[in-house]
Amino acid sequence: MTLIAATQRPTQKAMGKGAVRSQMDVRVSFRVRERKDVDLILGQGMLNAGWHAHTLNAPGKFLLSAPEHDTPRRGRAYLLTDDAVSEAAQRHEALRPVLDEVSRRALDEASTPLLQPVSAASVPLRPSREDRAESVLREALDGAPDEGLPIAHLLMITEMSRPTLYRRLNEMVKTGRAVQVGRGRYKASDHTP
């Protein structure tokens, strides 16, 4: 399990009791208001060892304490705007790895227009989000490997809520269209009724 905790006002209570805090191996300290906060964040004795997070003087500057370092390391983060991220994504688009079959189909479905004319009056028909999610779930389970697909993956590709996904999976298991092959892992049944 990975826990990410952040606070703008470090206190003993906010940083967790000793047992919790001792499990926080990687710690990042931006500028703090009070000198004593350095020891709360980076560990006992770091202020006296010369790590003065209260004197950091520019946006993005920080101190990093991690198990692989004997002492905290200095670092600086920079603001990345949406435009900068989009530009970088476009620049590196040609280097994108090949998608697996399930992901490729999901991407293809997402990029196809959802509006389709259904009558002479050209009334557009949009498949409901539930119908689309149901279709994606069935296709994913049909293409699942022998060890099944994990719930986290199914949640991501179907965009269903956790309760809805579990309800649908339970219904599919009861009707023999899916099987649970491990804890939180599902695939299509080998013989669908």
Side-chain angles (χ1 to χ4, degrees):
M1 179 189 326
T2 300
L3 169 68
I4 298 175
T7 180
Q8 290 189 349
R9 182 68 185 109
T11 62
Q12 286 283 354
K13 186 176 181 182
M15 296 293 292
K17 301 292 183 197
V20 174
R21 197 164 55 154
S22 69
Q23 295 181 46
M24 296 179 181
D25 290 338
V26 178
R27 299 177 188 187
V28 176
S29 178
F30 291 94
R31 186 173 55 159
V32 295
R33 291 186 186 141
E34 299 181 27
R35 297 168 56 95
K36 65 181 175 143
D37 293 340
V38 173
D39 285 344
L40 269 173
I41 298 169
L42 297 176
Q44 198 63 34
M46 289 298 150
L47 178 64
N48 288 336
W51 298 99
H52 299 160
H54 60 286
T55 63
L56 294 173
N57 61 359
K61 284 189 175 181
F62 63 90
L63 299 175
L64 172 71
S65 174
E68 57 269 14
H69 306 304
D70 293 339
T71 59
R73 302 288 172 113
R74 297 180 189 281
R76 182 151 190 197
Y78 292 90
L79 174 65
L80 293 176
T81 63
D82 289 345
D83 291 339
V85 171
S86 294
E87 187 271 326
Q90 289 173 356
R91 188 173 61 244
H92 297 286
E93 185 174 20
L95 304 174
R96 177 186 235 172
V98 177
L99 295 175
D100 60 89
E101 183 63 23
V102 172
S103 299
R104 188 186 55 72
R105 280 188 295 189
L107 187 60
D108 289 346
E109 288 177 14
S111 64
T112 58
L114 293 176
L115 298 178
Q116 303 169 353
V118 294
S119 70
S122 295
V123 177
L125 173 66
R126 181 188 300 247
S128 73
R129 182 177 176 167
E130 294 80 17
D131 289 344
R132 188 163 174 268
E134 181 75 22
S135 174
V136 170
L137 176 61
R138 282 193 311 268
E139 285 184 27
L141 293 175
D142 287 342
D146 289 340
E147 67 270 12
L149 292 174
I151 291 293
H153 180 75
L154 296 173
L155 284 168
M156 181 187 69
I157 65 170
T158 64
E159 297 180 348
M160 290 180 177
S161 69
R162 186 173 294 272
T164 300
L165 177 61
Y166 274 111
R167 188 176 64 253
R168 289 300 303 129
L169 288 169
N170 286 334
E171 290 169 2
M172 293 175 83
V173 167
K174 284 180 183 175
T175 59
R177 292 180 288 160
V179 293
Q180 183 175 3
V181 294
R183 185 171 182 186
R185 300 184 78 86
Y186 294 83
K187 69 174 194 162
S189 174
D190 291 335
H191 54 309
T192 303

